[in-house]
Amino acid sequence: MSYDTIARIAEKHNARILFDESIARYTSFNIGGSCDAVVMPNSADCIRELVSECRAEDIKYYVFGKCTNVLISDNGLRGVVILIGGDCSDIRREGDCLICDAGASLSKICTAAKTASLSGLEFAYGIPGSAGGALYMNAGAFGGEMKDVVKYCDYLDSDGTVKRMDNADMQLSYRHSAFTGTDKIILSVCFELHPGDSNEISEKMNGIMCKRREKQPLEYPSAGSTFKRPEGHFAAKLIEDSGLKGYTVGGAQVSEKHSGFVINRGGASAEDIKKIVNDIKDKVYKDSGVMLECEMLIVE
Ligand SMILES: Cc1cc2nc3c(=O)[nH]c(=O)nc-3n(C[C@H](O)[C@H](O)[C@H](O)COP(=O)(O)OP(=O)(O)OC[C@H]3O[C@@H](n4cnc5c(N)ncnc54)[C@H](O)[C@@H]3O)c2cc1C
């Protein structure tokens, strides 16, 4: 497969492109093999042209943000991997709204909100994803979720045109949005916040970060909570009750600090993670009758 045209589009936009690049260094799991081409677009136009070329030439492509909720195969990915991250991360204020490029990190957006004395996003402090990835997943924590703060987003539709979608049409529910499983690409997200006191906002964010550090194994690579919260249960409790705390497969381990996290203790492969996930699902189902469902997305 030749990626000459993709390279030319990247060059035209001054966007970074790397060939035969290991994806592991871009994922929060530090896992994943060599990918044919990895592009970091720096504008909505660049994304649109890349995707349009891939679609026209039938080149397989993948879109990720900060890769904090994905497990990518040890064999890498064939085709073009489009990482919408720091190179596409402008944030601007309009009244009480922050309009953020899809690649803006939630930490940068939360800091911008705090600086602008805008409240509403405190719950998201410490979620390590991008605006696009967070909206796609309807990310949430500490009683808040994207659903509460997103006003609208602009996205690239399957027909190659840029459209706007309002919150009411986003079908936002637990770790699900209207973008889940579609080829729509989120280009920017408008967060509607409200005036607050920047010291109070800061205090709330710091409190949340302390809780995260205390409870979560942030010292190890992971993709956050491995499983969705099953109706009426807590995944971590079920896993612990099945005696799986600390259970290890190769370099993968059920965190001893928080059983809801599978961590990379060092040198874990995607296969190790998949095996530990399947072992957990089997044992928990056998012991409790509850079938756990992965929250992180397995891409191969
Ligand atoms: C330590 C840790 C803690 C975490 N804590 C939380 C938490 O408290 N709450 C929570 O909800 N999550 C949490 N997560 C998971 C993760 O950070 C969130 O789901 C985050 O929103 C994913 O964003 P991302 O940019 O990394 O998306 P990625 O992992 O890159 O992608 C996730 C999905 O979104 C799609 N996607 C990404 N960007 C776009 C785009 N621009 N347009 C269309 N589709 C796109 C991808 O195709 C993929 O299917 C945690 C993860 C870690 C590692």
Side-chain angles (χ1 to χ4, degrees):
M1 171 75 69
S2 157
Y3 298 106
D4 290 354
T5 339
I6 297 295
R8 272 199 292 279
I9 294 169
E11 197 183 323
K12 178 183 143 192
H13 288 272
N14 245 331
R16 288 186 289 160
I17 181 162
L18 298 141
F19 296 99
D20 301 320
E21 174 75 349
S22 166
I23 197 73
R25 57 186 286 235
Y26 304 95
T27 68
S28 60
F29 246 140
N30 289 354
I31 289 174
S34 178
C35 297
D36 289 355
V38 176
V39 200
M40 289 90 162
N42 49 13
S43 66
D45 268 352
C46 180
I47 297 170
R48 194 176 42 73
E49 283 183 40
L50 287 166
V51 169
S52 145
E53 176 63 18
C54 289
R55 285 174 181 164
E57 293 305 316
D58 223 2
I59 300 171
K60 188 137 179 65
Y61 65 94
Y62 301 82
V63 173
F64 302 115
K66 300 271 181 195
C67 296
T68 63
N69 209 26
V70 289
L71 175 69
I72 298 178
S73 158
D74 297 321
N75 298 322
L77 299 170
R78 310 286 67 82
V80 177
V81 176
I82 302 174
L83 292 184
I84 306 181
D87 292 353
C88 198
S89 63
D90 278 355
I91 300 174
R92 67 191 164 84
R93 182 178 181 176
E94 258 182 32
D96 290 344
C97 291
L98 290 180
I99 298 161
C100 308
D101 284 348
S105 66
L106 286 178
S107 73
K108 190 175 164 190
I109 299 168
C110 287
T111 303
K114 181 174 67 180
T115 308
S117 297
L118 290 172
S119 176
L121 261 172
E122 292 85 332
F123 75 88
Y125 197 58
I127 302 179
S130 65
L135 177 55
Y136 181 98
M137 297 299 303
N138 187 27
F142 298 96
E145 55 184 343
M146 289 297 123
K147 187 182 180 189
D148 306 331
V149 283
V150 171
K151 186 176 187 199
Y152 65 81
C153 76
D154 288 338
Y155 68 98
L156 184 67
D157 208 350
S158 329
D159 62 6
T161 61
V162 177
K163 293 181 182 157
R164 181 159 291 186
M165 192 187 289
D166 290 325
N167 179 310
D169 298 316
M170 289 179 187
Q171 299 164 29
L172 295 166
S173 60
Y174 181 62
R175 304 298 173 262
H176 175 274
S177 70
F179 299 96
T180 311
T182 73
D183 59 0
K184 295 178 172 58
I185 299 173
I186 300 159
L187 299 173
S188 65
V189 182
C190 173
F191 294 94
E192 189 170 38
L193 307 172
H194 54 272
D197 177 86
S198 90
N199 286 331
E200 277 175 27
I201 295 169
S202 181
E203 240 172 66
K204 213 166 165 189
M205 286 182 180
N206 292 339
I208 280 174
M209 203 58 221
C210 280
K211 281 190 194 145
R212 281 186 180 274
R213 282 207 195 93
E214 197 187 305
K215 298 220 161 86
Q216 302 179 356
L218 301 185
E219 54 281 18
Y220 289 104
S222 78
S225 298
T226 314
F227 301 100
K228 290 185 181 170
R229 194 177 51 240
E231 192 91 27
H233 300 272
F234 290 102
K237 169 95 173 45
L238 293 171
I239 294 167
E240 215 170 311
D241 289 350
S242 279
L244 291 169
K245 192 177 208 156
Y247 176 62
T248 301
V249 172
Q253 187 183 50
V254 175
S255 163
E256 287 171 336
K257 194 168 173 186
H258 188 316
S259 306
F261 281 58
V262 167
I263 56 170
N264 178 358
R265 285 277 308 199
S269 63
E271 286 305 309
D272 291 342
I273 306 281
K274 276 168 53 186
K275 165 95 171 68
I276 205 167
V277 161
N278 286 333
D279 289 354
I280 296 168
K281 279 174 147 179
D282 287 350
K283 181 82 167 58
V284 167
Y285 184 67
K286 200 166 141 254
D287 293 348
S288 67
V290 177
M291 181 52 84
L292 292 175
E293 195 190 329
C294 266
E295 175 174 327
M296 66 171 187
L297 308 158
I298 298 174
V299 188
E300 41 196 13

